[in-house]
Amino acid sequence: MNHTKTRFAPSPTGLLHLGNARTALLSALFGERFLLRIEDTDLERSRSEFVAELLDDMRWMGLAWDEGPQSAKANADYFQSKRSQVYARYYEQLELKGLAYPCFCTATELEVSRKVQLSAGQPPRYGGKCGRLNPEDVERRLQKGLQATLRFRVPHDETVEFNDLVRGAQKFDTDDIGDFIIRRADGTPAFFFCNAIDDSLMGVTHVLRGEDHLSNTPRQLLILKALGLPAPAYAHISLVLGDDGAPLSKRNGSRSLNQLREEGYFPLALLNMLARVGHHYENEGLLSLNELKQHFDISHLGKSPSRFDIAHLQHWQEEVVRVADDETLWQWLHKETQALVPMQKHVLFMDIVRTNCVFPNQADEWAKILFTDELAPTVEIANIARQAGEAFFLSALDAATAAGEDFNTFMGQLKAKSGAKGKALFMPLRAALSGRTDGPELAKLYQALEPQLLRKRLAEYAGVAG
Ligand code: GLU
């Protein structure tokens, strides 16, 4: 039985961003087998640090690959920069069949011809000049040491048709495609070529990639057909736009995964968000990676560009935090935060974090409020204290001294002594205990604070109010 095999084929020229992380995720969701290939043919811009970072990001997201590199050390199986011998065989086959030829046109010649075509209102494409050279001319030029690129000879008057799994039936006229470069003058393979060859040789059955590659596909199909190699099916997924409607970039909210990780986003939040950009799931709750995979349906992928909204990512982040277990949340806290929380308050603090925080830096604020002595009242808080009056806090101090750690007894006594109720009871108390007007339930604040610190705050607030 044939299994679907998908792949993610990044070029390691920068950090992984939300757009390509989505391509990786959708490919991983769709494929029964998933392959990772490093397209590092641009020797100047590709860097092994980016490969290392990429592998880390993929692992962090939990996107395991069945085939691909396990480290950033380049090897001939999955790094295109090491596969020139493989490509050489196929260049040779194309040349022998007369389906590829060396091109000696200089950059200036090509530029002039491009301008002439554009000014005549024609789409710029290579006119095939070097394709008409006879073998002796070619030999003479090579002897002279002239640098040549290798061009693929595009057949005339044919159509290339394929059914795109997202965009439907596609039809391209070969006369609109000029002979194109498949090997650069420095010997490195051009994208169209090595990308298509590798997909075929590596047994990829389905290519999911950005719609910006759609117009490359007919060229790639022509190459594979010329070599008699099997072609994968293609699904060109729509681009992700930023909240300003422009393609997602650093300017409109895209961030590297690295940044998101540092801010404390959970990978599952990211996966739930990315899987739903332009793809609808019946179940609107938080899904595990496995569930996202089970219910992924390529026919649900929309054709129109979808917008990325940071609020969605935050929504999923909140969902993940709300159901995370104590150990996960504890590990998620900054080391400095962990150091502030007394051992016997761990469980209570995790409960406070789970219901009140979305990011570790918020947990840090609460740890400082609850477990350190620093709490300078803001003007707003001081006003609340003044309105409640000195007597309220003195009653609270008495009630706390009498009730110890029993919150209900404390509240009962305070109500009785102060006569305050509702907001007039809760708000000044919350202000005194936490210096804030919102946050965890009062009972939790009361129990989290060391009794001595709690009493100290109440006494201080009596002073502020008096
Ligand atoms: N290396 C190419 C890129 O990052 C891969 C395109 C493709 O998925 O075919 O754009």
Side-chain angles (χ1 to χ4, degrees):
M1 197 181 106
N2 272 347
H3 288 290
T4 52
K5 194 199 263 191
T6 54
R7 52 57 161 188
F8 179 49
S11 305
T13 55
L15 295 175
L16 201 59
H17 278 260
L18 289 173
N20 38 21
R22 173 174 172 256
T23 307
L25 171 63
L26 298 187
S27 303
L29 293 181
F30 186 65
E32 285 162 280
R33 284 184 73 76
F34 177 52
L35 176 146
L36 180 63
R37 180 175 71 234
I38 308 296
E39 304 214 319
D40 54 349
T41 53
D42 182 340
L43 301 178
E44 262 168 36
R45 292 173 58 224
S46 298
R47 298 230 298 267
S48 81
E49 300 92 272
F50 289 136
V51 179
E53 190 69 53
L54 183 102
L55 301 184
D56 278 355
D57 286 343
M58 294 286 287
R59 290 188 176 117
W60 176 71
M61 284 194 286
L63 301 186
W65 50 101
D66 304 294
E67 290 170 51
Q70 292 310 321
S71 80
K73 195 171 173 306
N75 63 58
D77 292 331
Y78 301 108
F79 286 71
Q80 292 189 321
S81 62
K82 301 284 176 201
R83 295 173 57 76
S84 29
Q85 285 183 351
V86 175
Y87 306 137
R89 287 207 299 276
Y90 294 98
Y91 288 130
E92 201 185 316
Q93 281 188 31
L94 289 175
E95 282 192 278
L96 282 174
K97 292 184 186 176
L99 295 176
Y101 59 85
C103 171
F104 301 93
C105 292
T106 63
T108 321
E109 278 176 280
L110 294 172
E111 187 53 25
V112 169
S113 137
R114 209 178 80 88
K115 286 200 172 132
V116 169
Q117 293 183 20
L118 282 175
S119 63
Q122 294 162 352
R125 72 180 75 104
Y126 184 63
K129 184 176 154 205
C130 289
R132 293 186 288 273
L133 291 175
N134 58 40
E136 297 76 47
D137 287 335
V138 171
E139 202 44 44
R140 206 166 323 119
R141 285 177 162 86
L142 288 175
Q143 295 277 317
K144 268 203 255 170
L146 287 183
Q147 291 246 316
T149 59
L150 190 68
R151 280 189 191 268
F152 181 77
R153 200 187 289 279
V154 175
H156 286 298
D157 202 21
E158 284 185 17
T159 50
V160 181
E161 292 182 45
F162 64 96
N163 184 38
D164 189 275
L165 292 174
V166 175
R167 325 199 86 75
Q170 303 291 315
K171 195 168 173 178
F172 293 84
D173 191 340
T174 54
D175 288 340
D176 292 336
I177 310 171
D179 294 351
F180 55 89
I181 294 176
I182 53 176
R183 187 177 62 210
R184 301 191 193 97
D186 65 3
T188 57
F191 163 76
F192 302 123
F193 184 80
C194 50
N195 177 270
I197 298 280
D198 282 345
D199 281 339
S200 187
L201 295 183
M202 296 179 183
V204 171
T205 60
H206 293 79
V207 167
L208 278 72
R209 61 182 178 184
E211 66 175 316
D212 47 326
H213 284 290
L214 182 64
S215 62
N216 298 332
T217 305
R219 293 174 219 213
Q220 300 196 292
L221 289 172
L222 286 171
I223 294 172
L224 294 177
K225 187 173 165 210
L227 287 166
L229 291 173
Y234 290 89
H236 288 92
I237 57 186
S238 45
L239 294 184
V240 186
L241 305 178
D243 45 20
D244 57 357
L248 197 57
S249 71
K250 271 178 227 163
R251 258 162 291 122
N252 57 17
S254 181
R255 277 179 276 181
S256 65
L257 263 63
N258 192 301
Q259 255 170 311
L260 295 173
R261 187 168 10 167
E262 265 169 28
E263 285 170 37
Y265 278 98
F266 278 106
L268 192 58
L270 183 66
L271 299 180
N272 270 270
M273 188 277 292
L274 288 176
R276 289 174 166 94
V277 177
H279 177 276
H280 174 73
Y281 280 94
E282 289 294 311
N283 185 337
E284 289 178 355
L286 185 72
L287 297 177
S288 67
L289 178 57
N290 250 337
E291 291 167 326
L292 288 172
K293 195 173 165 82
Q294 261 167 31
H295 301 291
F296 178 74
D297 184 342
I298 201 160
S299 69
H300 286 184
L301 279 177
K303 271 190 220 171
S304 45
S306 3
R307 287 198 186 205
F308 161 76
D309 186 345
I310 189 81
H312 291 167
L313 181 53
Q314 296 202 353
H315 160 77
W316 292 114
Q317 169 77 0
E318 216 172 303
E319 295 283 301
V320 176
V321 174
R322 298 297 171 258
V323 298
D325 60 36
D326 284 2
E327 179 57 20
T328 308
L329 282 185
W330 180 256
Q331 294 307 333
W332 176 67
L333 299 182
H334 298 150
K335 292 277 165 288
E336 308 81 72
T337 316
Q338 291 176 343
L340 295 177
V341 189
M343 185 69 99
Q344 71 280 18
K345 304 282 182 186
H346 277 194
V347 174
L348 177 61
F349 187 60
M350 288 304 96
D351 188 35
I352 289 176
V353 168
R354 186 177 298 110
T355 43
N356 290 277
C357 303
V358 186
F359 295 104
N361 57 7
Q362 296 166 331
D364 197 50
E365 272 176 49
W366 279 109
K368 283 186 184 134
I369 291 172
L370 298 171
F371 309 119
T372 74
D373 205 357
E374 307 152 25
L375 202 66
T378 61
V379 176
E380 186 198 5
I381 294 295
N383 280 337
I384 294 175
R386 248 172 249 128
Q387 265 173 24
E390 187 183 10
F392 175 85
F393 293 106
L394 291 176
S395 307
L397 189 54
D398 282 348
T401 311
E405 295 194 1
D406 182 346
F407 177 70
N408 289 336
T409 307
F410 164 74
M411 283 306 267
Q413 292 204 6
L414 174 58
K415 252 190 241 172
K417 280 188 186 170
S418 67
K421 52 181 191 278
K423 204 173 163 200
L425 172 67
F426 299 120
M427 201 41 103
L429 200 52
R430 173 177 293 288
L433 297 191
S434 70
R436 307 245 311 229
T437 53
D438 56 6
E441 287 164 36
L442 267 180
K444 289 181 190 167
L445 285 179
Y446 186 89
Q447 278 148 7
L449 288 164
E450 285 299 323
Q452 225 183 346
L453 183 59
L454 179 109
R455 289 199 294 271
K456 181 168 173 246
R457 284 192 183 161
L458 291 172
E460 272 170 13
Y461 273 72
V464 172

